[in-house]
Every structure is written in C-alpha cells, then in structure tokens.
Amino acid sequence: MDRNDDRYDLLVVGSANADLVVEVERRPGPGETVSGSDLAVHPGGKGGNQAVAAARLGARTALLARVGDDAHGRLLLDAQRAAGVSVEAVRTGGAPTGVALITVDPSGDNSIVVSPGANALLTPADVRAAARLVRAAAVVSAQLEIPVATVVETVRVRDGAGRFVLNPSPAGPVPTEVLAACDPLVVNEHEARVLLGHGAGDSPGERALALLALGPRSVVITLGAAGAVTADGRTGVVARIAAVPVTAVDTTGAGDAFTAALAWRLGRGDELPTAAGYAARVGAAAVTRKGAQESYPTAAELPPG
Ligand code: ADP
C-alpha cells in the first residue's frame, strides 16, 4: 500500500483484542478451579474483525486502533496485515493489548471476561492525529469497544464527509450527536432493545422505524438466521432482507462481518437494501466456519444471493 495514497474504501475505528479460549467440561464457581483444554489464541475485537472482513472481500481497508507493545499486539497486527488491512494508523503502547478471556463448555455456552487494555487508551487525540485518513475514507465504521468520546471525536473530525456507520456494541447509550451521523446505525435485536427500551414495536420493521426516530439517517437490524431489516430515513422505505440458508457452525463475529460488508458496499454506491443483501451473504458464509476472523469469506467464497 502506498502510504501517501490514503483514500481508503473503509476506515474502521475500533477495538483489537486477543481472544484467549479454553474449553472446559464445566465453568468454575466462585473459589473453584477447573482444568481445561490447551489455550487457543485468536485475533478478535469488533474493530479488528470488521477490518479483516472488509479487506478479505477486496475493500481497501485501514484500521485505527490501539494495541499494547507486546506479543498479543504483534499477533493482531500480523493478522490484519495478512488480510491486507493497512495498519499505518494503529497506535502502540500505554497498556497491554486488550484481551477477551473466554471459557466454552460442551454445550457451546461462553463465559467471557474482557480486559480492554490499550483499547481504552484509543483517545480523541489519536483520532485527530489520523484526521487525514478519517476525512478521506469513503466510509468510516465504529463500534463501542473503545471510549465513546473517541467515537464522538471521529464524527466531529469526519464533519459530514462521506458515510459514517456505527454498530453500538457492546450495547449502551449513544450520544445524540453520534446517532445523527449514523448512516446506518446497525444493531442486532439485543442492541435494538437496549436503545429502545421496552414496548418499542412488535415487529422488526416497527422497531427499525422507532430507531429511525432516535435520529440516525438509516437503520439496519440484523436478525441472525432470520436475516435483517433496513429502514431508510430519506425514502421512508422499510425492506426485509432474507437470510441466506446455510448450516450454522459458529455465529461468532457474524455481525461484524455483516456490518463491514454493508459499510463497504454502501461506500461503493449500493442502495441500502442491496448492500444489506450482499452483507447477508457475507454473514451467512461467516457462520459456516468456526471462529471470527478465521471464518470470513473472500468474494469468491460467497454463497449465491
Ligand atoms: P450478531 O453477531 O451481531 O448478533 P446476527 O446474529 O444478527 O448478528 O448476524 C448478523 C447477520 O449474519 C444476520 O443478519 C444474517 O444475515 C447473518 N447470519 C447470522 N446467523 C445466520 C444463520 N444462522 N444463517 C444465515 N445467516 C446468518
């Protein structure tokens, strides 16, 4: 990648974590110790996942994130580079690389402890230092595994240039200023409930319209094996996007792959329902393989729409 050629299709502003996974017969109670499998270390974090997903599809992608000056940080950067992501804007140091400590029991249920580490130190100043990239990218995508103030600064530096896409995950409050910039706001059903509170519409379409009323320019609700619904504030069109039928093996990171694909295609000029249809093919492919980043398809591996 030519370092002076900074007009990326997609700039992801977000987290990078090492996922440390141990399989256990059962999870320990308080004060208890159990033995598990050998440790498996996977590159993860919603920001890292989105960047890898887009790059594998062919998008010119960069990641703005912070990792520690440690072995996990180097592993995460290697995974990004291997997928073709530019790491020119990744900052290093200040705290250990973020990790997710994951135990998985035989039924597939997870218990997860997240240590945000360096992700918590991705600051508004880091966004300002990367202002050139933030303004030039066709699409900027963010999530909430980094400080909200950093997401706010991303919107301010972006200042209406191109598109901004937000997946507010982990679910939490989103400042009005950020909501107003979202085009679209991408949520799963849990995140939709958190933003709307109770009693906000019986159907996904009603919930999408209720989310639109919170201020974003457009909304996508992902519905797992049931596909997705889109709502466009400009046209008022609500569209149901069918899921692509596949045999799901592991749904980890499906939403991140969906969002990255959606963001990239919108930046290329697709209409919202068309981009969501493409993203559903990417999400479907991702659930047919184990893991998050390891499961993401290239364009050639996508199932037919
Ligand atoms: P999250 O991972 O954020 O909870 P979802 O589970 O809603 O997100 O999945 C995101 C997208 O991935 C869905 O909208 C759908 O297009 C696709 N997807 C997820 N699970 C399946 C599945 N079992 N079969 C087909 N597509 C799926």
Side-chain angles (χ1 to χ4, degrees), residues 88-161:
E88 66 169 298
V90 175
R91 304 284 181 262
T92 303
T97 297
V99 294
L101 306 174
I102 305 173
T103 51
V104 187
D105 75 12
S107 69
D109 281 338
N110 289 333
S111 292
I112 306 178
V113 176
V114 171
S115 168
N119 294 303
L121 301 184
L122 186 72
T123 60
D126 291 329
V127 174
R128 287 193 291 276
R132 205 168 38 86
L133 289 186
V134 174
R135 290 207 190 94
V139 185
V140 170
S141 171
Q143 323 78 37
L144 297 183
E145 288 184 335
I146 55 172
V148 171
T150 304
V151 178
V152 171
E153 190 65 15
T154 301
V155 167
R156 288 186 184 162
V157 167
R158 186 87 169 135
D159 197 22

Side-chain angles (χ1 to χ4, degrees), residues 16-18 41-44 48-49 51-53 55-56 63 71-87 293-294:
N17 286 329
V41 183
H42 302 282
N49 288 352
V52 164
R56 283 183 66 76
L63 177 65
H72 288 148
R74 287 185 281 281
L75 171 99
L76 298 184
L77 291 182
D78 284 349
Q80 293 293 320
R81 287 194 196 98
V85 176
S86 165
V87 296
Q293 292 179 19
E294 295 97 328

Side-chain angles (χ1 to χ4, degrees), residues 63 72 108 113 120 130 166 179 208 228 255 280 287 291 298:
L63 177 65
H72 288 148
V113 176
L166 178 73
L179 275 175
V287 303
T298 62

Side-chain angles (χ1 to χ4, degrees), residues 188 191 222-225 227-228 243-246 248 251 253-256 258 279-280 283-284 287:
N188 64 17
E191 291 145 11
T222 65
L223 306 168
V244 177
V246 291
T251 61
D256 300 332
F258 179 101
V287 303

Side-chain angles (χ1 to χ4, degrees), residues 5-31:
D5 183 4
D6 53 11
R7 190 174 153 77
Y8 291 99
D9 297 334
L10 178 66
L11 173 70
V12 180
V13 182
S15 58
N17 286 329
D19 292 345
L20 312 185
V21 184
V22 177
E23 291 170 24
V24 291
E25 275 307 310
R26 58 184 184 78
R27 281 165 285 169

